[in-house]
Amino acid sequence: MKKILQLSLGVMTALGGFVDIGELVFTTQAGARFGYSLLWAILMGTIGIMLFSEMSGRIAAVKHEPVFTIVRQRLGYRLGLGTLVASNLVNWITCAAEIGGMAIILQLLFNFGYSKLLVISTLGTIGLVWVLPFKWIERVYGMAGLSMLVFLWVLWDSKPDWHATFGSMVPNVPHMHGAHERALYAYFAVGILSALMMPYEVYFYSSGGIEEEWTRKDLGENKLITTVGFMLGMFLSMSLLMIGAAYFMPKMIFPFTLGTTALSAASTLGRTGLLLALIGMFCCIAGASVETCLAGAYNICQFFGIKWGRKIPEREAPVFTSIWVVFFLISMGIVLAGINPLKLVEYSVIFAVVVLPLTYLAILLAADDKKFMGKHVNSGVIRWLAWIYLGIITVCAVAAVPLMIYTHQGQP
């Protein structure tokens, strides 16, 4: 039982990072638009986030140094500061989208005013993070989000094309007409890869390992979390894409909203399915909002050497506490200004991939440094695979914004 509870950090990171508001709509849309053909992007993104999370967790366990301490050391102050600013801007946009998503789901559940629910859910989340110890933050959101498993039942009931499913695990480009259609396919491929490798996942995971006081004895747990936890997220992401292909595509429905995504569970299991889907979606989105806000505070304090941590009493870490609270409040203000959360998440996913190369370069340089890591340095296979992935995300970073502009943010 103790080991199961220890996995909650990985479960929360996986569910909040993989199955947040962006994944709930973006991945389902990809399935509804291109069928099963983009499953390879989910598999590729999962391997990538496993690699870099494992490296960041290993650095945290061996050297007790979090991501943005490594960023400052490996990239230098100026380039590191630029990475910090860009990363936290993406965190802010992402958090605003998640907070808006929480209010949308509460409105679907209770049919109450959107703005009031936005304020209530934001202040409620701040209260939970303030009161709960770090371990219980992980467990509450991570385990409650497991009701998302209802989508696996929905997938099975939708009778997906398993031949097409396994065939799409290999990168492929289906037959398409015109340059716009090919660019749209590339846009969704880049977006899915970015959504799965969102940098805040690594910031939160690395900092969480230090909060949990990991040592070299926890390296096995680190590997277990970055495989079991993230594979769970992968299966849920794949199920959402396959539901888009098997359920929405034949009906010619393009799921623009969270309510439409939940509709598939309602059609299979009635009100019970809808309730489970909405609860799971809410917990995953709320977990992602917590991750982004805490990650923003972690990043700033780590970079400037300010005392940080949820395990430290608030009065002993006033800057850290103030930053994550302000993160929540400003994110709430952005959505109260009338900006659509589903539009925000498209910007967060695309701009996140622009930040990825520098963040992951710093982690890779540290994990590859034998003087720094000793016998826990990257093995040959991990080293070359990580450098290959760094090249892939660099290409995606260059292509992301032009694809967003050319396709008008993925419009058919």
Side-chain angles (χ1 to χ4, degrees):
M1 179 59 71
K2 184 179 178 181
K3 280 295 182 184
I4 292 173
L5 291 176
Q6 286 174 339
L7 283 173
S8 56
L9 174 61
V11 171
M12 182 179 174
T13 307
L15 293 178
F18 278 59
V19 194
D20 62 0
I21 185 173
E23 202 68 15
L24 283 164
V25 176
F26 200 89
T27 306
T28 313
Q29 286 179 346
R33 178 72 182 176
F34 296 106
Y36 303 92
S37 61
L38 280 165
L39 283 169
W40 63 267
I42 296 177
L43 179 60
M44 182 177 289
T46 302
I47 295 171
I49 193 61
M50 283 180 176
L51 278 171
F52 287 99
S53 292
E54 191 280 327
M55 284 189 287
S56 69
R58 183 162 21 107
I59 292 168
V62 174
K63 303 301 292 186
H64 311 293
E65 293 192 0
V67 170
F68 263 88
T69 299
I70 297 298
V71 167
R72 188 189 67 239
Q73 292 172 352
R74 298 288 164 168
L75 301 184
Y77 186 85
R78 289 186 179 181
L79 187 55
L81 182 61
T83 305
L84 172 67
V85 171
S87 297
N88 271 9
L89 284 174
V90 171
N91 280 353
W92 240 317
I93 296 171
T94 307
C95 186
E98 308 296 353
I99 286 173
M102 289 163 59
I104 290 171
I105 293 177
L106 288 176
Q107 192 175 38
L108 292 171
L109 285 167
F110 300 110
N111 193 27
F112 199 58
Y114 174 74
S115 296
K116 291 179 180 178
L117 288 171
L118 180 69
V119 174
I120 291 169
S121 60
T122 303
L123 296 181
T125 306
I126 291 173
L128 280 175
V129 177
W130 190 285
V131 171
L132 291 178
F134 187 84
K135 283 186 178 181
W136 282 104
I137 293 173
E138 303 165 13
R139 293 168 187 176
V140 167
Y141 289 110
M143 296 307 173
L146 289 176
S147 59
M148 279 289 293
L149 293 174
V150 68
F151 283 105
L152 296 180
W153 182 270
V154 174
L155 173 62
W156 184 261
D157 189 71
S158 299
K159 297 178 174 60
D161 184 338
W162 294 107
H163 183 268
T165 296
F166 292 114
S168 297
M169 295 296 179
V170 178
N172 66 94
V173 180
H175 179 71
M176 288 175 284
H177 300 286
H180 180 80
E181 191 74 4
R182 288 190 289 272
L184 197 62
Y185 183 83
Y187 173 79
F188 273 97
V190 169
I192 288 172
L193 192 70
S194 176
L196 294 174
M197 297 184 67
M198 290 289 277
Y200 75 80
E201 299 173 58
V202 175
Y203 309 151
F204 180 83
Y205 181 72
S206 169
S207 301
I210 293 174
E211 292 260 29
E212 295 289 347
E213 299 178 350
W214 279 0
T215 66
R216 287 173 173 82
K217 294 180 180 179
D218 298 299
L219 289 173
E221 182 181 331
N222 175 49
K223 288 183 179 179
L224 186 64
I225 289 173
T226 52
T227 51
V228 175
F230 287 111
M231 283 183 70
L232 173 60
M234 180 188 72
F235 288 136
L236 286 173
S237 295
M238 285 184 170
S239 70
L240 289 170
L241 187 143
M242 292 168 69
I243 288 169
Y247 179 83
F248 290 110
M249 194 177 192
K251 295 176 174 61
M252 292 186 290
I253 298 173
F254 195 68
F256 282 108
T257 67
L258 291 170
T260 309
T261 302
L263 182 64
S264 60
S267 68
T268 302
L269 296 170
R271 294 181 65 180
T272 301
L274 179 62
L275 184 62
L276 286 172
L278 290 175
I279 290 173
M281 290 163 68
F282 178 83
C283 291
C284 289
I285 291 172
S289 73
V290 173
E291 286 187 32
T292 50
C293 281
L294 288 180
Y298 286 141
N299 294 350
I300 293 171
C301 292
Q302 290 162 7
F303 188 86
F304 292 107
I306 301 169
K307 196 170 186 178
W308 59 273
R310 279 295 301 123
K311 296 183 74 172
I312 301 171
E314 285 76 12
R315 65 182 179 275
E316 295 181 21
V319 176
F320 172 77
T321 303
S322 300
I323 291 171
W324 70 256
V325 172
V326 168
F327 243 84
F328 269 117
L329 295 177
I330 292 180
S331 299
M332 180 181 69
I334 291 171
V335 184
L336 283 174
I339 301 175
N340 187 339
L342 300 183
K343 284 294 180 185
L344 282 173
V345 80
E346 292 180 19
Y347 286 109
S348 74
V349 167
I350 293 304
F351 288 118
V353 77
V354 178
V355 180
L356 281 176
L358 286 176
T359 304
Y360 288 169
L361 173 62
I363 294 171
L364 179 51
L365 288 174
D368 255 358
D369 188 342
K370 190 169 185 179
K371 290 183 179 178
F372 183 69
M373 293 296 292
K375 66 179 182 179
H376 301 292
V377 69
N378 283 345
S379 65
V381 174
I382 297 297
R383 176 181 299 114
W384 287 109
L385 196 55
W387 280 107
I388 289 169
Y389 263 88
L390 186 65
I392 292 171
I393 61 176
T394 301
V395 171
C396 290
V398 172
V401 175
L403 283 171
M404 181 179 71
I405 295 170
Y406 183 77
T407 63
H408 305 288
Q409 290 182 275
Q411 295 302 311

